[in-house]
Amino acid sequence: MKVPHISLKIKSTIKQRFFFFSALNIIVVILAIAVISNVLFEKTITEKAKMFQQREVSLVCNNMELLVNSINDYILTLSVDSTLQEILKYHDEVPISEEERYNIKMKLIRAVYAKSALNSYIDSVVILSKSGTFYDMGMYSKENFSSTFEKNNIQMSDIINKPTWYGPLEMKNELVGTENVFVITKQVMDIWSPDVLGYVFAIVKESKVSGFYRDIIEKNAELYIVNEDMNIISSSDKSLLYKDIRDLEIYANKKDAYIITTEQIPINHWQVMDFVPKRYLVSERDKITLSMVNIGIIAIVISFVL
């Protein structure tokens, strides 16, 4: 009578062993697939991320070039404006009459803002005659303007007959205090002679420049615009402005921790540098691997129940 009982016990043991080895084989296969998939997924995800990142950086470069060109075009147009030319040519010194000073100021305001209204990125315009007469069309005093140029060692002799970008520079605004701004300069040349009549300056806030690309980049990316000396001239983090990007930790660990994409803005030799942390790509890869392992575990449980 004990033989059937022993037979059933042996069958049960064989079944358990079969299930154990089957489960072990499934686990080994799943782990092998997970490891191989891990490598393949990481490569695929990284390549796709690089392609997407390159498109973003190219879009930022194109937008920045459009911005720079539009402001340069404004400066060029303003410098040959007939009203501006006339005032700088015949009113090099400040008129004695208060009424005449007021009339000149109003003429300049109309000439300046009739054109700057088409470019919302220009915060203010300053006109300077050859003899130093200062016409401010915004909230920047002659003293603050002059001290900023002196602090940054910018001389009037440095200003040439084409739009030139300086900055960002720290300049005091009479209304809101010190701001980081770009100053775009150009000589005003007499259209009928080679004489220099004065200078025109357009002031653009750095915050408007960074706002031009802020909504383009991926939320986990860190994007910087650097000049030829590798100094940061635009960033969402204003505490990093003026710093050499090579001194930052993000640059030192770039190969290990980040996917980096760079592209030059040819018009003024700036460079866009975009850093995307690899940990975000790894997290996506790990999610896929974990899903595969979970599916394998579920399969084992179902086979055990059945």
Side-chain angles (χ1 to χ4, degrees):
M1 295 296 295
K2 293 182 179 179
V3 174
H5 177 69
I6 293 172
S7 177
L8 289 172
K9 188 174 182 180
I10 292 172
K11 288 181 180 180
S12 177
T13 302
I14 292 172
K15 185 178 180 180
Q16 287 176 354
R17 287 181 178 178
F18 176 78
F19 172 77
F20 173 76
F21 285 112
S22 296
L24 184 62
N25 286 333
I26 292 172
I27 290 172
V28 170
V29 171
I30 289 173
L31 289 176
I33 293 173
V35 170
I36 295 170
S37 300
N38 231 8
V39 176
L40 294 176
F41 283 141
E42 181 174 4
K43 185 178 179 181
T44 303
I45 291 171
T46 302
E47 287 176 352
K48 287 185 176 180
K50 284 182 177 179
M51 289 174 60
F52 182 74
Q53 191 178 5
Q54 184 61 60
R55 285 197 297 268
E56 283 187 339
V57 169
S58 294
L59 184 58
V60 170
C61 285
N62 290 337
N63 284 359
M64 289 303 301
E65 195 161 5
L66 287 172
L67 174 66
V68 172
N69 277 327
S70 68
I71 293 172
N72 287 353
D73 288 345
Y74 167 78
I75 292 288
L76 288 167
T77 304
L78 182 60
S79 68
V80 295
D81 179 83
S82 58
T83 301
L84 178 63
Q85 290 262 329
E86 181 185 346
I87 289 172
L88 291 178
K89 192 170 186 177
Y90 298 109
H91 300 281
D92 186 33
E93 300 287 347
V94 179
I96 298 175
S97 166
E98 185 175 342
E99 182 181 357
E100 194 173 359
R101 288 199 301 269
Y102 174 80
N103 289 334
I104 289 174
K105 184 73 176 278
M106 293 308 297
K107 284 182 180 179
L108 279 175
I109 288 174
R110 283 193 292 269
V112 166
Y113 287 105
K115 295 175 176 61
S116 65
L118 301 176
N119 197 313
S120 60
Y121 289 95
I122 295 175
D123 185 57
S124 185
V125 174
V126 169
I127 307 297
L128 191 67
S129 73
K130 188 170 58 176
S131 66
T133 301
F134 185 86
Y135 297 100
D136 172 35
M137 305 294 114
M139 298 300 298
Y140 300 92
S141 69
K142 182 177 181 179
E143 291 73 23
N144 293 331
F145 200 85
S146 300
S147 64
T148 299
F149 269 48
E150 185 177 343
K151 180 181 176 182
N152 291 276
N153 197 30
I154 302 172
Q155 308 295 326
M156 289 299 106
S157 57
D158 298 330
I159 299 174
I160 58 178
N161 190 32
K162 72 174 185 178
T164 306
W165 287 63
Y166 291 95
L169 311 172
E170 290 185 337
M171 188 177 293
K172 185 177 179 181
N173 183 307
E174 296 297 322
L175 189 62
V176 298
T178 302
E179 295 181 301
N180 298 302
V181 300
F182 291 95
V183 179
I184 302 89
T185 68
K186 185 190 177 301
Q187 289 178 340
V188 178
M189 302 291 296
D190 188 347
I191 59 175
W192 303 112
S193 73
D195 296 337
V196 176
L197 300 178
Y199 309 91
V200 59
F201 307 88
I203 299 171
V204 178
K205 294 180 181 179
E206 187 280 329
S207 58
K208 287 191 176 181
V209 173
S210 61
F212 206 65
Y213 59 78
R214 190 181 299 119
D215 296 333
I216 297 175
I217 61 173
E218 200 267 332
K219 65 178 181 179
N220 296 318
E222 297 181 50
L223 187 140
Y224 307 93
I225 298 178
V226 299
N227 60 17
E228 292 176 284
D229 298 323
M230 298 297 284
N231 294 324
I232 298 172
I233 59 174
S234 184
S235 167
S236 57
D237 185 352
K238 306 310 174 191
S239 66
L240 299 178
L241 294 177
Y242 313 103
K243 293 183 178 179
D244 190 324
I245 196 169
R246 293 168 294 191
D247 295 335
L248 303 185
E249 185 178 351
I250 190 173
Y251 192 86
N253 300 328
K254 60 179 182 177
K255 291 183 179 178
D256 299 325
Y258 297 91
I259 296 176
I260 308 99
T261 303
T262 63
E263 189 170 327
Q264 193 174 60
I265 305 172
I267 193 169
N268 47 13
H269 306 294
W270 293 348
Q271 189 176 180
V272 175
M273 304 186 72
D274 192 32
F275 297 76
V276 174
K278 288 184 178 179
R279 64 178 181 272
Y280 292 108
L281 303 180
V282 172
S283 66
E284 291 298 320
R285 180 201 64 192
D286 291 344
K287 286 177 184 177
I288 296 172
T289 304
L290 183 61
S291 298
M292 294 179 63
V293 172
N294 288 337
I295 291 171
I297 293 172
I298 293 170
I300 293 172
V301 172
I302 291 173
S303 63
F304 177 76
V305 172
L306 296 176

